[in-house]
Amino acid sequence: MYLTKEEERTLSGEDGETLQKAIEILVALGDIYGADRLIPIKSAQIAGVSYKTIGDAGLEWISDLEGKVKVPSILNPAGMDLVRWNEMGITPKFSQKQQKIIAAYEKLGVTPKCTCTPYYLDNFTLGYGDHVAWSESSAISYANSVLGARTNREGGPSALSAALIGKTANFGYHLEEKRKPSVSVTVECNLSGSDYAALGYLIGGDVGSRVPLFFLQNEPEGDELKALGAAMAASGAVALYHVDGVTPDARKMTFGKPDENIIIEEKQIRGVYDRMPDEAKRGADVDMVALGCPHCSADELAHIARLLDKKRVGKDVWVCTSREVAEHYPQFVDKIERSGALVVCDTCMVVSPASENYKLMMVNSGKALAYVPGMCKVPARFGSIEDCIKEALKGSGDTDGNGN
Ligand code: F3S
């Protein structure tokens, strides 16, 4: 792999131990995957933030690093709302550790914005062909597929290394030839809203880490594509997908239709909604409704606010979003919270330990449906946003969920 003189100097340790380790990681990955060189990146999004997932070992590792990131860099969701953690039932001990992790990243020049939807942040936008090093699987999928940017599935350490060097190794999805689809998925029914999350949940296992090209009956919107990609990245390992005639690569690049074609029928999509965990079959009630996986957009917050307007929820409800989106739209946050639901920033139902205290969760996300049972040890049911709000209103006297 070709290195510039400056990169060679960093690799030899002349710029300090942290940068030496960082470039060693990038060069090792580049050598394994056949990169020809390092390429500049526009931004980094760094996973490995929640104290629940990285623990004391991770905190120690980050705290020992020195230097400053060279490109705008933000963080994946933490284990708690950094301001209202006590309202979530987080312990002071956990909070203290979590704040130390955030402070350690800040010392490295990382902006302490904790979200899996960095593309909604001011000053963090991406254009077609931009190279980045992002490490949250749904954000990677959105950047590659919906925005036409280029990122590999970075791990936390490799994304942080890329941020510190300002570059990443040129392989995988940074190269046009690796972005071509290798399997088609033909959906034979119309889809809307959470159907896309159900489709992603359904198809991820079959697609694995390949690049699918979807042929859909109708044109999805941004939030629907976000839900599709997030679910496929969780039930499979899909980092890039195309939708014929819709996503930017499918419009700008020419590629033939792959030989293998998976057909999806309406009854398969309905089957995801009908799945009942054993606990629900035995009569357990939903005691938590969690929305916002990936973090809610302004449109999703507005929709939830309309559904909850002048209503009262009868169980715990989390609406997860980024702090910046919440701060931009206080009118939606107020409406949602007047119902008794909590707008949770900086974290989510999967990476926070607070969601482990429930018996049965209802979600509108294929990613949460895939991860909550394993990572939180809480069984989960799937429904549309409307289904979830109806469930949330049960026991409160408000039951229509239409916001009328
Ligand atoms: Fe984001 Fe947490 Fe879902 S990080 S994509 S809300 S699992």
Side-chain angles (χ1 to χ4, degrees):
M1 184 169 154
Y2 167 77
L3 294 180
T4 64
K5 284 207 165 47
E6 195 189 344
E7 291 161 358
E8 291 281 10
R9 206 183 57 222
T10 306
L11 190 61
S12 73
E14 281 183 48
D15 298 327
E17 202 181 331
T18 295
L19 289 189
Q20 184 183 28
K21 287 266 169 299
I23 202 164
E24 275 174 4
I25 289 173
L26 300 182
V27 169
L29 285 169
D31 283 343
I32 291 167
Y33 293 105
D36 58 347
R37 65 200 157 101
L38 296 177
I39 50 169
I41 53 165
K42 189 175 176 188
S43 64
Q45 189 253 4
I46 302 159
V49 182
S50 172
Y51 180 63
K52 168 177 160 174
T53 51
I54 69 168
D56 287 318
L59 168 58
E60 207 174 303
W61 181 73
I62 301 158
S63 304
D64 285 346
L65 301 175
E66 287 168 350
K68 293 283 178 208
V69 295
K70 293 202 176 64
V71 292
S73 304
I74 57 122
L75 297 170
N76 213 34
M80 62 184 204
D81 186 307
L82 298 175
V83 178
R84 298 167 70 190
W85 52 270
N86 53 344
E87 291 176 56
M88 298 174 65
I90 293 287
T91 64
K93 184 176 169 232
F94 184 96
S95 168
Q96 214 179 31
K97 296 280 191 181
Q98 186 62 74
Q99 299 287 5
K100 278 189 182 166
I101 293 170
I102 302 294
Y105 277 119
E106 264 191 285
K107 197 185 82 182
L108 296 171
V110 178
T111 308
K113 293 184 177 179
C114 303
T115 182
C116 50
T117 54
Y119 39 86
Y120 295 149
L121 301 180
D122 300 338
N123 308 320
F124 219 78
T125 51
L126 287 187
Y128 186 80
D130 285 343
H131 294 275
V132 294
W134 287 13
S135 57
E136 197 284 321
S137 65
S138 74
I140 292 163
S141 172
Y142 196 91
N144 271 328
S145 315
V146 183
L147 303 175
R150 275 104 173 87
T151 179
N152 284 319
R153 279 172 74 101
E154 301 283 357
S158 70
L160 180 55
S161 299
L164 289 162
I165 300 297
K167 294 175 183 175
T168 193
N170 191 32
F171 67 91
Y173 297 118
H174 294 285
L175 305 172
E176 194 160 315
E177 66 267 22
K178 300 285 186 198
R179 299 177 66 87
K180 294 192 172 146
S182 50
V183 56
S184 301
V185 181
T186 304
V187 179
E188 294 191 327
C189 57
N190 281 324
L191 303 175
S192 75
S194 53
D195 295 346
Y196 288 93
L199 171 62
Y201 178 83
L202 205 57
I203 205 76
D206 288 337
V207 173
S209 59
R210 292 182 290 171
V211 178
L213 169 62
F214 285 90
F215 293 90
L216 302 175
Q217 301 291 322
N218 48 325
E219 189 167 325
E221 294 175 357
D223 284 328
E224 294 170 331
L225 291 170
K226 177 176 79 169
L228 170 64
M232 278 192 294
S235 63
V238 178
L240 166 65
Y241 66 91
H242 307 292
V243 178
D244 185 50
V246 175
T247 50
D249 276 354
R251 281 189 269 112
K252 291 187 193 224
M253 288 164 61
T254 38
F255 32 68
K257 187 175 173 185
D259 292 337
E260 185 181 339
N261 184 35
I262 301 169
I263 294 175
I264 297 291
E265 299 171 359
E266 184 166 14
K267 63 174 188 239
Q268 293 172 276
I269 300 286
R270 294 311 320 162
V272 179
Y273 290 88
D274 294 340
R275 278 175 202 205
M276 277 282 179
D278 289 344
E279 291 78 357
K281 284 185 203 151
R282 287 197 291 268
D285 281 333
V286 170
D287 55 354
M288 184 200 198
V289 173
L291 304 170
C293 171
H295 278 173
C296 283
S297 65
D299 284 349
E300 288 170 314
L301 276 188
H303 187 48
I304 296 165
R306 190 183 62 76
L307 292 170
L308 286 174
D309 191 21
K310 301 187 180 66
K311 301 283 178 192
R312 194 77 206 152
V313 298
K315 44 192 79 178
D316 284 2
V317 179
W318 286 13
V319 179
C320 303
T321 189
S322 65
R323 183 162 300 282
E324 189 168 305
V325 167
E327 284 175 355
H328 282 346
Y329 299 95
Q331 67 277 32
F332 303 147
V333 173
D334 284 355
K335 258 190 197 166
I336 292 169
E337 295 215 321
R338 261 187 266 127
S339 75
L342 193 61
V343 174
V344 176
C345 299
D346 318 311
T347 186
C348 77
M349 69 295 279
V350 171
V351 298
S352 174
S355 54
E356 293 167 5
N357 303 325
Y358 295 92
K359 290 194 173 57
L360 180 60
M361 196 184 295
M362 186 159 185
V363 298
N364 69 331
S365 158
K367 176 166 179 176
L369 185 67
Y371 279 173
V372 161
M375 285 188 68
C376 307
K377 305 285 175 274
V378 177
R381 274 183 51 201
F382 179 77
S384 65
I385 285 196
E386 289 77 9
D387 295 335
C388 289
I389 298 295
K390 270 187 191 144
E391 186 64 43
L393 297 177
K394 280 186 189 166
S396 68
D398 283 331
T399 50
D400 74 359
N402 294 321
N404 298 317

